[in-house]
């Protein structure tokens, strides 16, 4: 006899996240535990990645129009510190590095924008976007609340805030979200510090995010955890054939995480607690789900304890 267990739908939580547009914003954008809400209606954005500093500025318009024609209404872009401050103390936001020009173009084309601030960005960039001088000349612990490191991040964040002034969502601009760091899985306090620093210099957005894949430890009710999944992970298990982890993405399951993303950066187990009642506090709601511990030919998937899913 087969039985089906259907858990009840968790109640929708509202007002628990320090996010959302101000009352004076031209367009409202809020978030509850299940959805993004724009002007009173649920919004499921279609986002595409475009790294403006990797493309000649003369081609930005054409490339953004291609994205828009493909159905994208939300653009995400990285800021790479080693491009904007290749030489210590010399910050550049001109030419192909002209962040403000890019954001204004997104506004003109009616594309919402997520700015991924870093200061560590990854994005397959040298040193993850950290300048060479930071690693070679400065005695500090990067990607932490080490005062020596934060003292170097502060002028960079301050300049970013100056470049973006007047372009945030509450100003009528296209910036609806800001992401701090990237793939930092074990230091929630540092993520909180970066948000506070950005806000101190005037950066404002309805949504604040952090990448959460790999059961990352994200500060609760401070940043929205974002997850991802690759259709193919050619860099994983290359000697044993097609990657095993990616197969789940071809099936409808409650699993939102993908441990292959950022696995090259995790030298220890993630410190996140995995699926807890807190997991239903941010959209989309995620729950732990059973997944086979072995493939059909007997190969191990590795540990799949609840702490791995969030």
């Amino acid at each position: 006899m087969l039985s089906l267990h259907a858990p009840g739908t968790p109640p929708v939580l509202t007002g628990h996240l320090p996010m959302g547009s101000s009352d004076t914003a031209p367009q409202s954008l809020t978030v509850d535990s299940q959805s993004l809400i724009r002007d009173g209606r649920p919004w499921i954005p279609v986002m595409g990645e475009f790294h403006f500093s990797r493309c000649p500025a003369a081609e930005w318009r054409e490339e953004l129009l291609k994205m828009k024609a493909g159905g994208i209404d939300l653009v995400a872009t990285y800021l790479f510190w080693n491009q904007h401050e290749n030489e210590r103390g010399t910050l550049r936001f001109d030419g192909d590095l002209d962040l403000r020009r890019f954001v204004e173009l997104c506004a003109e084309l009616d594309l919402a924008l997520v700015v991924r601030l870093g200061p560590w960005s990854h994005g397959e960039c040298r040193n993850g976007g950290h300048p060479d001088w930071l690693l070679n000349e400065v005695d500090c612990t990067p990607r932490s609340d080490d005062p020596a490191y934060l003292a170097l991040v502060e002028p960079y964040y301050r300049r970013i805030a100056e470049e973006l002034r007047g372009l945030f969502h509450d100003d009528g601009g296209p910036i609806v979200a800001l992401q701090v760091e990237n793939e930092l899985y074990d230091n929630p306090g540092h993520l909180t510090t970066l948000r506070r620093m950005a806000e101190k210099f005037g950066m404002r957005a309805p949504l604040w995010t952090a990448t959460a894949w790999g059961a990352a430890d994200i500060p609760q009710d401070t940043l929205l955890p974002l997850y991802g999944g690759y259709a193919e992970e050619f860099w994983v298990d290359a000697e044993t054939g097609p990657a095993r982890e990616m197969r789940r993405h071809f099936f409808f399951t409650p699993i939102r995480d993908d441990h292959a993303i950022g696995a090259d950066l995790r030298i220890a187990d993630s410190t996140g607690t995995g699926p807890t009642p807190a997991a239903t506090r941010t959209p989309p709601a995620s729950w732990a789900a059973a997944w086979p511990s072995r493939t059909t030919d007997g190969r191990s998937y590795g540990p799949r304890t609840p702490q791995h899913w969030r």
Side-chain angles (χ1 to χ4, degrees), residues 91-105:
L91 287 161
R92 290 191 53 199
F93 286 84
D94 60 326
D96 296 341
L97 302 175
D98 194 336
L99 171 62
R100 187 173 187 86
R101 176 182 172 187
F102 177 75
V103 177
E104 290 175 338
L105 179 58

Side-chain angles (χ1 to χ4, degrees), residues 61-203:
R61 177 183 294 272
E62 180 180 354
E63 298 307 314
L64 288 173
L65 286 172
K66 290 177 183 176
M67 295 174 71
K68 187 173 183 178
I72 287 171
D73 60 354
L74 177 60
V75 174
T77 194
Y78 277 123
L79 296 181
F80 296 114
W81 191 0
N82 58 4
Q83 294 180 354
H84 293 286
E85 193 177 3
N86 185 47
E87 297 181 7
R88 186 175 181 180
T90 302
L91 287 161
R92 290 191 53 199
F93 286 84
D94 60 326
D96 296 341
L97 302 175
D98 194 336
L99 171 62
R100 187 173 187 86
R101 176 182 172 187
F102 177 75
V103 177
E104 290 175 338
L105 179 58
C106 288
E108 178 186 336
L109 299 179
D110 195 27
L111 288 167
L113 185 65
V114 178
V115 179
R116 307 175 78 176
L117 299 170
W120 193 90
S121 299
H122 201 340
E124 289 63 56
C125 190
R126 179 182 174 88
N127 305 328
H130 273 166
D132 288 350
W133 55 261
L134 175 69
L135 305 179
N136 299 330
E137 303 173 13
V138 182
D139 182 14
C140 71
T141 302
R143 310 184 72 189
S144 77
D145 280 353
D146 180 349
Y149 176 65
L150 295 179
L152 298 169
V153 175
E154 281 207 351
Y156 178 52
Y157 264 32
R158 183 186 298 112
R159 178 61 184 276
I160 293 171
E162 293 172 358
E163 295 293 325
L164 297 178
R165 185 164 291 121
L167 297 175
F168 298 104
H169 181 271
D170 282 2
D171 304 315
I175 301 173
V176 299
L178 295 167
Q179 176 187 308
V180 296
E181 250 280 347
N182 194 41
E183 297 181 333
L184 184 63
Y185 67 93
D186 60 353
N187 196 340
H190 181 53
L191 297 176
T192 299
T193 296
L194 291 175
R195 172 174 175 174
R196 290 173 179 168
M197 181 186 295
E199 289 180 311
K200 179 177 73 172
F201 294 129
M203 291 194 240

